[in-house]
Amino acid sequence: GGQLAIAKEWAAADPLNRASLGALAREFIAAATAREDAERRAAARRTRRLRELAAALAVLTVAAAGLAGFALRQREAADAARANADSRGVAIEADQVRGQEVSLAAQLSLAAYQIARTPAALASVLDSSATPMAARLIDSLGVVEATALSPDHDLLAVAADDGTVRLWNIRRPARPVPVGRPLVRVADDPLYTAAFSPNGKLVAAAGAEGDVLLWRLGGVTGPVRLPQLAGPTSTVYSVAFSPNGRLLAAGSADDHVWIWDVANPGHARLIARLSGPSGYVESVAFSPDGDLLAAGSADKTVWLWNVADPADPQPVGGPLTGPTQIVTSVAFSQSGTELAAGSQDDNVWLWNLAHPAKPVSVRPLTGATDWVNAVAFSPNGTILAAGSSDDTVRLWDVATGALIATLPHSEPVTSLAWDGQDRLVTGDADGIVRLWVLPTPVLAVGGPVNSVAYSPDGSELVVGGPSLELWNTATRAMTASATPGGTFVNAVAVRPASRAVGATGQAGGSAGTVVAAGYGDGDIQLWSAAGGRLAALGAALSGTARGMIEFLAFSPDGKILASGADDGTVRLWDVANPARPRLLAKIHDAGTYVFSVAFEPDGRVLAAGSADDKVRLWNVANPARPVPLGRPLTGPASYVYSVAFSPNGKTLAVGSADKTVRLWDVADPARPVALGRPLTGPASYVYSVAFSPNGKTLAAGVTDGTVWLWRVSSPARPVFTAQLTGPTGHVYSVAFSPSGDAIAAASADGTVRVWDTSPLTAAKAICANAGQPLTRVEWASYVPGRPYSPPCPSS
């Protein structure tokens, strides 16, 4: 600015300077402009560099965030993979121990499902629901030798070979609680027996020392030890109170039975020493009326005395014979007319004592593969339990001698006590007492089971095997059976509820379930299952097929019955009046075995699967004149054993001997379309397929003893969900209950096994009957590397 003022003054002083001034001004302005442009360009460069830097920083920030997100996703994926692997591992552990320790297995299955909901964990949880269930009570580090229940069933006394007698409160059987300290601890001297008095005020125990110990219960200060009962000169293996509580008997290794009067337990007195056995007396028991005393001996006999006059006991006849080895245990039925004895010859021996002086030997119960150590009748006398050294308890129906349940243990079973009709207490050599829930979800049929179906209301299960049987699903008890002569039941079907049959056999009545049974000789018989009974409806359809009836199916309206047979035919029967069925049509299907038939839900289409590896569809809108629909469905590389329509009728499932299940879109039955690839996984023939009532689940029964489940909400994209195990033989038939909450499988191993379909329902049942929760030691062993979190906490 100062230079410009000087230039102006200089130009005013000399006009000649004006031209120079103009040139100078122009130069100055050009220089200023150039400088301004340079500064502007520099500023632009700085701005551009800042922007580039900011962009670079933004890119780096995004990259860093992306890397962090990627790392997080990678970590989450790794955590999920580890959880899935841990879940599968724990589920495998659960499956491996289920055959010996059901409570441990059930809790481990829940732990696996808690870690991750893998197919293996889901299957393990559901498998626990289809396994006999028991609450466990870990009592001793040694062998549990004896268990005894108080009359009110609130207290359990446990005698063990660690020299202890412990009391447990089992008012809540699923949550046993120890009561105080052990009543006694005799170092190195096992205790072999314990018993409550009938009024529950006394507990007796005895063992290797030969002395009989007594305690009085119910006092303010707890159990009070009373004076020992002397007499036996060797080990005492068994004690028993008389029903009136006045007498206490003891069986000893000195070959005698000792009897005390304990009416005044503080001053008990010995009143008898019974002789006769020529070996250790292993077990003693009073009859329910108190008149008889039985003793099982190492001399392979059972002795009876009349003790109605305890001051003068008298032998009743000679010893009962039959066992070929030591008699380890004896028990009377509640009526007193049956006596059972367990023996080291692996049998349970029975006698009818309606006339004690003339006992009648009954055929022994067999099946145990090692010593029978304990026997006990249920409170109502209908069931006999036997505990064996083959690590099992077997339950028999007393009236029929049929085996109705097998309860697995980890080691030899030493003792039994019934806690009501629906719970059995067992003592085991593993130091654990188990409180079993009865009846079990494994129905013992007694021979290979070929077919199973639910009644429309789900209250009954119809079973086809050696006989036609009806089972109550609530009580899990067989209510009726009909045995065919010289053949067997190969197929069963139940008429839908929409066509209930009345007393006259006409549709629309309320006589109950109508069952169709197909037999090995080709006959078909319709039955009424009203009131839990089976009554034949009319005569059998004899000689309807040359060969076995393979499958039966009712139409949705119940008016038509379809049968598939070994002679290659499908027959359609009018069964609107089941007492007078009549043949409508005979379809010559494949010319070879027709293994399965199924009606579409609207009843207008029938599918038939055959031994020629094909499925044929028929329009049966007019059942008297079936019309084939299109060409047979092909694809299976071997026999088509099973077909089933989804509840909406749009999907057909086909199970084959090629170990696959195929799905077809049959919305247009004249133009079926295969859906995706075959479902694989089963290791053997797929003998049966069934959709759940809501159509979301498909089950397949396989002859490798498994049941496979897929989610088929989207039939074109089925998802494998679980492989159920348990049966030890071929699974020939599967059926969902009408509510969909259970699935039943018929097996060649002679059982029908019932699973829950909901893991939540199964989990509730498991924890309701688990007993003591997983210990920290068990958790560390079976669930290593994860924080202790038992799925069924004790509180």
Side-chain angles (χ1 to χ4, degrees), residues 339-358:
L339 178 68
S343 172
Q344 289 184 7
D345 64 8
D346 309 346
N347 295 319
V348 176
W349 297 83
L350 298 170
W351 293 270
N352 185 305
L353 299 181
H355 303 287
K358 296 181 179 180

Side-chain angles (χ1 to χ4, degrees), residues 34-56:
R35 189 164 53 250
E36 184 178 348
D37 288 344
E39 290 176 352
R40 191 161 43 248
R41 285 194 297 274
R45 284 196 298 274
R46 286 195 299 274
T47 300
R48 186 168 61 253
R49 284 197 296 270
L50 288 172
R51 288 176 178 172
E52 289 172 349
L53 179 60

